Amino acid sequence: MVKLIAVDLDGTLLNEESQISKKNLEAIKLAQTNDVEVVVATGRAYFDVQTIFKNTDIKTWIIGANGATIHQPNGDLFHSVPINKQDAIAILSWLEQEDYYYEVFSNHAIFTPQNGRELLTIEMDRIKSANPEVSIEHLEHAAKKQFSQTGFSFINSYRDLLETDVDIYNILAFSFNEEKLRKGWAKFEHKKDLTIVKSAKHNFELEHKNASKGIALEILANELKINLSDTAAVGDSFNDLSMLKKARRSAAMGNAPQEIKNSCDEVTLSNVEDGVAHFIYSLTKDA
Ligand code: CA
């Protein structure tokens, strides 16, 4: 019997306007009423997730920063795995040198360089001038979505962070240049102390090697005294794979890439068709 359901946010619980539908909210409430724990598992920062849930009456456990943090339903931090300072400095200095737009997810804010948004505009302009016939509307949409998070704090350089005692949970690098993304992936994929994942087409994200949505799900299940054989997970992207593989029952969203669908037990509806509600109801029906 499923006692714990892990639900990704973007492309999963959220629709294209980054909102939670009424049907999805009702399904979560039904699960909670039936003593099923729901945990939101996202790459987003905890305070950003709080803003998204602000106008709902739902409180859940929250796995944030791709598994680097776990917060209790009452908002207390239960578990965290920051990136080693030296590793963070090495990553950030390289990203700056390569003119990346980046975001540093910390316990205080999402730090991002002052000139970062300008760098993305330059990338978009280059793509536009190289392919004048192609619409860049989807790129503008992706950038807008990226900037719509809450909790940004602007810095001149990563050096501004050196003197602070912030815990860095997750570093997100974002680019519209595929070659640049490949180069970044190749630079970090073999670093033994880091986890690298991709949550969307234009990014890669770095965490401590002991931080992933899958590891966090296991830690939480253990805390709640729930067997992994009584867990389920639903998601749409590569940063969900660790938890989709860890959970007993896994569902890929209808809008997920084929590779994710192939890794799951089942495929539910898309994020604009209340796929999460559909999956939750299928679980409670079987129970
Ligand atoms: Ca997602």
Side-chain angles (χ1 to χ4, degrees):
M1 199 181 103
V2 171
K3 293 176 183 164
L4 175 60
I5 306 175
V7 181
D8 168 54
L9 272 186
D10 290 88
T12 301
L13 186 61
L14 303 182
N15 60 23
E16 294 304 297
E17 285 77 46
S18 298
Q19 284 163 346
I20 311 172
S21 72
K22 217 175 131 198
K23 278 191 179 167
N24 280 342
L25 278 177
E26 281 167 6
I28 291 174
K29 272 186 211 167
L30 177 85
Q32 290 178 325
T33 319
N34 288 308
D35 290 326
V36 176
E37 284 284 354
V38 176
V39 56
V40 166
T42 177
R44 288 185 186 248
Y46 171 70
F47 37 80
D48 190 28
V49 182
Q50 264 187 317
T51 310
I52 291 170
F53 277 85
K54 194 177 59 190
N55 295 322
T56 74
D57 52 356
I58 285 185
K59 289 199 184 318
T60 71
W61 285 83
I62 293 169
I63 291 172
N66 283 326
T69 62
I70 305 175
H71 282 81
Q72 298 181 27
N74 70 6
D76 290 348
L77 181 66
F78 161 67
H79 175 83
S80 70
V81 194
I83 301 176
N84 173 301
K85 264 273 152 64
Q86 290 310 314
D87 287 337
I89 291 167
I91 295 164
L92 293 170
S93 67
W94 190 83
L95 292 176
E96 273 186 19
Q97 183 194 312
E98 299 288 321
D99 283 340
Y100 267 93
Y101 169 83
Y102 67 78
E103 294 171 359
V104 180
F105 290 67
S106 77
N107 50 339
H108 294 310
I110 301 171
F111 296 104
T112 192
Q114 296 276 12
N115 70 339
R117 297 181 180 188
E118 204 179 301
L119 292 173
L120 282 188
T121 308
I122 293 169
E123 286 188 4
M124 275 192 273
D125 288 346
R126 278 192 192 135
I127 290 167
K128 207 171 167 181
S129 54
N131 319 272
E133 71 293 351
V134 179
S135 160
I136 59 158
E137 211 176 305
H138 61 292
L139 302 185
E140 286 164 345
H141 179 77
K144 207 174 136 198
K145 197 171 154 195
Q146 198 64 36
F147 304 154
S148 72
Q149 298 169 98
T150 44
F152 278 117
S153 176
F154 294 93
I155 51 175
N156 290 312
S157 153
Y158 74 94
R159 289 184 191 87
D160 293 357
L161 302 175
L162 297 182
E163 301 304 313
T164 67
D165 61 349
V166 292
D167 280 343
I168 294 175
Y169 299 131
N170 181 18
I171 296 171
L172 177 143
F174 188 106
S175 172
F176 292 120
N177 179 336
E178 284 173 26
E179 186 50 43
K180 194 166 160 180
L181 282 179
R182 268 195 295 274
K183 190 177 168 190
W185 187 277
K187 167 88 183 164
F188 297 111
E189 72 174 328
H190 297 301
K191 292 271 184 277
K192 66 176 181 15
D193 292 329
L194 298 172
T195 298
I196 182 166
V197 288
K198 200 172 176 59
S199 65
K201 190 173 190 288
H202 306 293
N203 71 25
F204 62 84
E205 303 184 42
L206 296 157
E207 292 95 38
H208 188 280
K209 72 172 187 313
N210 293 334
S212 75
K213 291 192 184 187
I215 293 171
L217 177 64
E218 190 163 17
I219 290 169
L220 179 58
N222 197 34
E223 166 70 11
L224 298 172
K225 302 194 170 39
I226 293 172
N227 289 324
L228 277 175
S229 57
D230 293 326
T231 61
V234 53
D236 75 312
S237 197
F238 297 91
N239 63 330
D240 298 315
L241 278 179
S242 61
M243 74 171 181
L244 292 168
K245 286 177 179 162
K246 191 79 78 175
R248 174 63 189 275
R249 271 186 75 167
S250 57
M253 296 299 289
N255 47 296
Q258 195 55 45
E259 201 180 326
I260 307 298
K261 291 178 179 171
N262 293 345
S263 310
C264 288
D265 301 323
E266 59 195 280
V267 177
T268 184
L269 299 174
S270 77
N271 65 320
V272 295
E273 299 164 318
D274 308 305
V276 170
H278 188 78
F279 180 53
I280 290 178
Y281 290 133
S282 77
L283 294 173
T284 42
K285 211 167 22 196
D286 296 349

